Amino acid sequence: MMSLIKRGIAAYDRWCEKMGLVPENRRCCAPVRYDRDDPRHPANKQGGATVQGKPDAD
């Protein structure tokens, strides 16, 4: 039963790639949350360091 599920998921993944439905091509405005150890996390980007602290007072 598990092998049937895995084959179904693999077929769905191939179909998504064929249709261009991969994370790199997403056109959604919904935010994406990445784990801290994921290289795509904003804190891990070069030059994109975020500063955590109090906001500046105007």
Side-chain angles (χ1 to χ4, degrees):
M1 181 66 174
M2 197 61 159
S3 65
L4 179 65
I5 293 171
K6 288 181 181 181
R7 283 193 319 222
I9 291 172
Y12 177 73
D13 287 343
R14 286 191 304 274
W15 179 82
C16 287
E17 287 181 23
K18 179 181 171 187
M19 299 301 289
L21 302 173
V22 293
E24 292 81 23
N25 295 338
R26 71 181 177 88
R27 297 183 60 157
C28 181
C29 61
V32 177
R33 184 174 178 181
Y34 297 109
D35 291 333
R36 280 289 205 186
D37 59 347
D38 191 320
R40 296 172 293 178
H41 191 280
N44 296 336
K45 299 277 185 186
Q46 291 289 340
T50 57
V51 177
Q52 304 234 349
K54 295 180 182 178
D56 293 335
D58 290 334

